[in-house]
Amino acid sequence: DFIDLGDSTDFYFSGDFTLALWIRAEGSSGYNAIMSNYEANKGWWFILDSGKLRMGLESQIDTSYQGLDLRDGKWHHVAVTCTTSNIILYTDGVLIYEKTGSTWTPAQTSSITTMIGKRTGIDEFDGYMCNVGVWNAVLTQPQIKSIMHKDYAALSASEKEDLVSWWNLDEETNVYGTAGTGGVKDYHGSNHGTLA
């Protein structure tokens, strides 16, 4: 399964952004999608490659796979911060990799669906996820450590300041985020997802 967030310009980042969530990865697939807004070399994607974190911005900057194989059946907090020339990967609050490259420029000129647990062209995520957050700013390492053990209700006002969307993934709702089935609620914004 994956979560379809539709075509929202909230995720068409032109500058700084952060993705952070908990995952418990399973399986033996070479590639597993964590989250993406990507199609035909446009947009961004955050995946596991051989169980290791990997982030790409269009076809311009790609971290290759980094860190430990996270397919160990344990929960891990993973995060990535991006600027127009820099990517930093974190696992369990620890900085594991930093890459600086030439400036990238978003080129989303057509509709691109944002998805949790899926990216076009690779396997869907095999495992579990919770407390998925997206910010349109770069969080610092202390901020990432602070949000690690929080759900939406526990976030401070400053931690919500640049927050775009947050999905606890602890209940099924309808596609509008209210009581029902078939969807997941965006606790901060209006990017409620559809289970697919």
Side-chain angles (χ1 to χ4, degrees), residues 60-61 84-85 101-105:
Q60 300 176 51
I61 301 178
T84 55
S85 61
S102 57
T103 301
W104 65 282
T105 304

Side-chain angles (χ1 to χ4, degrees), residues 108-130:
Q108 291 124 331
T109 56
S110 60
S111 298
I112 300 178
T113 299
T114 303
M115 296 176 283
I116 299 173
K118 184 174 175 66
R119 196 210 86 175
T120 303
I122 68 172
D123 293 337
E124 296 167 12
F125 188 78
D126 188 356
Y128 301 87
M129 297 181 176
C130 71

Side-chain angles (χ1 to χ4, degrees), residues 131-152:
N131 293 338
V132 181
V134 178
W135 289 258
N136 59 7
V138 168
L139 298 189
T140 64
Q141 187 172 18
Q143 288 175 314
I144 289 170
K145 288 182 175 180
S146 177
I147 66 166
M148 275 178 56
H149 299 290
K150 297 178 180 179
D151 62 8
Y152 180 74

Side-chain angles (χ1 to χ4, degrees), residues 135 143 150 152-163 188:
W135 289 258
Q143 288 175 314
K150 297 178 180 179
Y152 180 74
L155 294 176
S156 68
S158 63
E159 290 166 342
K160 294 178 181 177
E161 187 174 331
D162 296 302
L163 187 62
H188 187 77

